[in-house]
Amino acid sequence: MENSSNSDENYDVGYQPSPCSTDPNDQSTMSGDSFVYCRTYSSTSVFSEPVDDHHSCCSEASPSCSSHWSTKRTGGVVPQKQALLTRLVTKQCKNSNAATVFGQNLRLEPLNPEEKALWKREMDCLLSVCDYIVEFTPKSHNLRNGAAVEIMESRQRSDIYINLPALRKLDAMLIEILDSFQDREFWYAEQGSMSANSTRMGSFRRVVQRNDEKWWVPVPCVPSSGLTEKARKHLRHKRECANQIHKAAMSINNSVLSEMEIPDSYMASLPKSGRASIGDPIYRYMYTTEKFSPEYLLDCLNIASEHEALELADRVEASMYTWRRKACMIHSKSSWSMVKDLMSDVDRSDKNHILAERAESLLFSLKQRYPELSQTSLDTCKIQYNRDVGQAILESYSRVLEGLAFNIVAWIEDVFFVDSTTRNQD
């Protein structure tokens, strides 16, 4: 097989990993089997390992204001409503302060009325755009003379019709979780009183040392006797709720990203050789083994940090599309739309097709093993060049909710950490 046509031996290094995944100063490390969350701009746990701010460049939580109306799908924007739609998007771009409501909230406490009103007002404005992103569906209609005819009626495009109500529900549930901490047994230390020996407001107050890199995140405090069992039960329940919301928002986000078109610029930047992208050791295992096991391969790689995992994901993804493109080399065009259309005609025994399938399974296993992995270079490229307003709204909305849900879990873990430390000191 090594001497087969379209050999991957002669290659030209053209793959450039995402700058967000190759920072040489990145100090992110794993804790247990999960990574510090950084798919959004929001801050993470007080006691978590430091996250390089370089990652935040990939995850601004607002839809692109320069997006164009999509005309490539069945649905589209009703022409007579386009002027109104343009004004709505322009207004949203000028008043994009709502995204900071959750980003600046760093405590388990209800949003103040002004912040809550701002969030609702801005989201109503943004999401109203989706009312004009429609598709036409056939509907049976009976005329007065009894004749049955089929007419076309418009409704929200299917992806928006399905996902937007779900996201609104998740949004309301997150607000309810924060509201449930109106009366709580813990509180937060003020900035400037967070040193390890700080005991302001009396000896009953204990402040736990926290990571210096998270100096801006308030430290939770508990009574000297710790939390009551009722408070712990409430925290456990809300942590589980936030966990489920996080999973749901991430699922929607991943679904929207998978439907976005791959930019031609990404396809043009792919290396000429998938082998050059993933390296010889991984390539040899993928190419020579009879029964390919992505889980076994990941075990052998001993991935030790999010930086390594994200870099591997970028390289595997680039290799996958390189091999898919090679499998369709008999055609003159190499854009993603052509590749996608022609994959059904590819010889399933072709070397490049087999390698692409194995790369896809490896990427899937990698994301399953590290579900909180940052967005890959392809995902960020899709977001940057996306021209579909509806997809931009769904992606950014789900990403903001995903980040808040994760942070709520992290903040609850902080309270449990302080409570446990306090009880152990008694």
Side-chain angles (χ1 to χ4, degrees):
M1 294 179 68
E2 291 289 349
N3 297 323
S4 60
S5 60
N6 292 336
S7 173
D8 225 29
E9 290 292 343
N10 299 319
Y11 54 81
D12 178 17
V13 179
Y15 171 63
Q16 297 295 330
S18 166
C20 294
S21 63
T22 59
D23 184 359
N25 298 318
D26 192 341
Q27 300 296 319
S28 302
T29 58
M30 281 192 300
S31 174
D33 293 329
S34 64
F35 291 122
V36 174
Y37 182 77
C38 57
R39 281 169 59 94
T40 72
Y41 64 92
S42 303
S43 301
T44 56
S45 170
V46 173
F47 305 104
S48 64
E49 293 295 326
V51 178
D52 194 330
D53 288 340
H54 205 63
H55 289 292
S56 63
C57 70
C58 297
S59 336
E60 292 299 329
S62 61
S64 172
C65 297
S66 61
S67 300
H68 298 274
W69 315 130
S70 174
T71 58
K72 297 182 180 180
R73 303 182 59 164
T74 302
V77 180
V78 178
Q80 60 267 33
K81 302 295 184 181
Q82 184 162 330
L84 173 61
L85 182 53
T86 303
R87 291 198 299 272
L88 287 172
V89 174
T90 302
K91 179 180 178 182
Q92 170 59 22
C93 295
K94 293 179 179 178
N95 299 276
S96 57
N97 297 321
T100 64
V101 171
F102 289 152
Q104 293 177 353
N105 185 62
L106 303 174
R107 308 180 183 210
L108 291 171
E109 62 183 13
L111 296 174
N112 65 51
E114 292 78 13
E115 289 177 332
K116 194 178 295 186
L118 172 63
W119 174 254
K120 186 178 186 304
R121 182 173 65 252
E122 294 294 326
M123 292 312 297
D124 285 346
C125 174
L126 171 66
L127 300 181
S128 64
V129 173
C130 295
D131 293 337
Y132 305 100
I133 303 177
V134 299
E135 62 187 1
F136 295 95
T137 57
K139 179 182 177 181
S140 179
H141 179 70
N142 293 321
L143 300 177
R144 291 182 179 179
N145 60 6
V149 296
E150 192 175 76
I151 61 174
M152 302 296 288
E153 66 175 4
S154 64
R155 73 167 200 180
Q156 281 186 325
R157 203 172 65 193
S158 56
D159 58 334
I160 298 174
Y161 182 79
I162 294 171
N163 291 317
L164 189 56
L167 290 173
R168 280 192 172 277
K169 179 63 176 177
L170 298 178
D171 186 341
M173 292 170 67
L174 288 172
I175 297 295
E176 289 176 5
I177 290 177
L178 292 177
D179 287 343
S180 71
F181 290 102
Q182 178 67 49
D183 298 316
R184 58 183 191 265
E185 296 181 7
F186 59 91
W187 61 97
Y188 289 91
E190 296 85 1
Q191 289 186 352
S193 63
M194 298 183 185
S195 65
N197 299 321
S198 176
T199 56
R200 286 183 59 185
M201 296 183 66
S203 60
F204 64 91
R205 181 173 188 156
R206 292 185 177 177
V207 180
V208 177
Q209 180 71 31
R210 61 97 188 276
N211 200 317
D212 289 339
E213 285 79 2
K214 297 297 179 182
W215 58 266
W216 66 89
V217 183
V219 173
C221 307
V222 300
S224 58
S225 59
L227 300 174
T228 64
E229 185 56 36
K230 179 180 179 182
R232 294 193 197 103
K233 182 178 180 180
H234 176 258
L235 284 167
R236 284 192 291 267
H237 175 65
K238 296 305 177 183
R239 179 178 59 185
E240 179 59 26
C241 291
N243 252 324
Q244 295 303 317
I245 294 172
H246 174 253
K247 292 178 182 178
M250 180 179 288
S251 176
I252 293 175
N253 186 267
N254 289 336
S255 174
V256 174
L257 282 172
S258 68
E259 290 298 319
M260 286 185 179
E261 291 188 5
I262 298 179
D264 290 340
S265 60
Y266 178 84
M267 296 298 295
S269 69
L270 290 175
K272 294 182 179 179
S273 167
R275 181 174 186 170
S277 181
I278 61 173
D280 284 341
I282 298 177
Y283 174 80
R284 282 196 296 268
Y285 177 76
M286 293 178 61
Y287 184 67
T288 60
T289 185
E290 289 292 332
K291 295 183 179 179
F292 175 68
S293 172
E295 295 296 334
Y296 174 78
L297 178 55
L298 291 177
D299 290 339
C300 294
L301 293 175
N302 295 319
I303 299 172
S305 69
E306 181 187 5
H307 169 74
E308 292 182 14
L310 184 58
E311 184 180 29
L312 176 61
D314 277 338
R315 292 190 285 117
V316 171
E317 198 162 47
S319 298
M320 178 179 69
Y321 287 108
T322 297
W323 286 320
R324 284 183 176 174
R325 183 174 62 182
K326 281 193 172 186
C328 303
M329 284 286 284
I330 57 174
H331 299 275
S332 58
K333 295 184 179 180
S334 60
S335 66
W336 167 240
S337 57
M338 278 298 284
V339 171
K340 185 168 59 174
D341 292 339
L342 297 171
M343 280 306 295
S344 58
D345 300 327
V346 170
D347 181 4
R348 298 289 172 175
S349 63
D350 178 75
K351 163 196 167 183
N352 292 299
H353 175 75
I354 294 173
L355 286 170
E357 292 292 303
R358 292 183 174 183
E360 183 176 20
S361 65
L362 177 59
L363 182 63
F364 178 80
S365 296
L366 184 63
K367 291 183 176 181
Q368 287 288 105
R369 181 170 295 198
Y370 308 113
E372 289 154 11
L373 196 65
S374 302
Q375 289 166 332
T376 64
S377 295
L378 175 57
D379 288 341
T380 57
C381 189
K382 284 182 175 182
I383 295 171
Q384 180 181 359
Y385 292 99
N386 173 51
R387 300 170 64 87
D388 187 298
V389 176
Q391 289 179 338
I393 292 174
L394 293 177
E395 193 283 324
S396 57
Y397 192 18
S398 60
R399 182 152 37 95
V400 170
L401 299 182
E402 180 187 338
L404 177 61
F406 182 88
N407 284 343
I408 288 177
V409 174
W411 300 335
I412 293 176
E413 293 289 354
D414 288 346
V415 177
F416 277 129
F417 178 85
V418 174
D419 180 52
S420 175
T421 303
T422 300
R423 286 185 286 113
N424 290 337
Q425 290 176 350
D426 290 337

